[in-house]
Amino acid sequence: MKNISLDELNRFLGEASLKTYAGTGVETKATIKGFKELEYRDGDWYYRDNYTGFFKSWGQEVVWYKDQPVWMSLYGGGLEKEFYGDEAFAIKIFNFLKKALSSGEKSKNFQPRGPKNLSDGDWVYHCQWTGDLSDFKGHEEILYKGRVVFTHDFIGGVVIPRKV
């Protein structure tokens, strides 16, 4: 991490987010059976998001710089149980989640998922976290007509390898 600026890492993360799940990123060939994976490259930077599940899901984002992992985030959660099986509603939730994840000034200010708050008609997104890009944890939720319909918890931060 000593050769990487946190500002540059944050800029890259914001860009990668907009080019993958939050945007119209194309899935790559999965390296783990049963997972979906998205990736983005920019020079020496490489980002990969892999996740599994639908109504309830778990995933991880990893950033490499010059082929060395330097940052990662783990996330998981999903729809409230009463909505398991309702694929049409789930897709509406995920579309709003993508809108939230692509909102804000991600490339300028650290934002581990979406902005702190976003509203659009009957939909509301809230995200709370503690810490910064180097070490954080938090919770996001989506409400529809005032009722929580989706939640995710997340943790992450920089990777500091052992000296060899």
Side-chain angles (χ1 to χ4, degrees):
M1 271 303 297
K2 64 183 178 180
N3 295 330
I4 301 170
S5 114
L6 290 179
D7 288 340
E8 182 64 13
L9 172 59
N10 191 69
R11 179 209 59 79
F12 175 73
L13 273 170
E15 192 175 284
S17 177
L18 295 174
K19 302 282 186 173
T20 56
Y21 184 79
T24 55
V26 177
E27 291 178 18
T28 62
K29 182 176 179 184
T31 58
I32 304 171
K33 188 176 181 175
F35 278 70
K36 294 186 177 190
E37 299 186 13
L38 300 140
E39 65 182 2
Y40 175 70
R41 292 181 188 275
D42 180 15
D44 290 329
W45 294 94
Y46 173 67
Y47 166 92
R48 189 169 197 97
D49 179 7
N50 61 30
Y51 61 96
T52 189
F54 186 77
F55 298 108
K56 185 141 182 114
S57 62
W58 301 92
Q60 71 175 0
E61 298 170 279
V62 181
V63 173
W64 287 263
Y65 181 73
K66 294 185 177 180
D67 298 322
Q68 296 298 311
V70 296
W71 182 91
M72 77 179 298
S73 175
L74 307 170
Y75 58 89
L79 280 65
E80 294 297 304
K81 286 183 183 180
E82 67 191 89
F83 302 110
Y84 291 2
D86 188 343
E87 190 170 333
F89 188 58
I91 290 169
K92 290 178 183 178
I93 291 170
F94 298 144
N95 285 337
F96 183 66
L97 176 63
K98 288 180 179 189
K99 181 175 187 170
L101 296 179
S102 64
S103 297
E105 298 280 331
K106 293 182 93 141
S107 295
K108 294 181 182 177
N109 300 307
F110 174 62
Q111 182 179 303
R113 299 283 292 167
K116 292 188 182 222
N117 297 291
L118 177 70
S119 296
D120 185 7
D122 291 330
W123 296 93
V124 176
Y125 173 88
H126 295 295
C127 189
Q128 298 176 317
W129 65 88
T130 57
D132 60 19
L133 180 64
S134 63
D135 186 14
F136 62 91
K137 61 182 172 181
H139 177 80
E140 68 184 347
E141 62 185 18
I142 293 176
L143 290 80
Y144 179 70
K145 295 185 178 180
R147 189 165 167 218
V148 174
V149 295
F150 172 90
T151 62
H152 259 167
D153 292 309
F154 53 88
I155 61 171
V158 298
V159 174
I160 302 173
R162 180 175 87 181
K163 291 182 182 179
V164 179

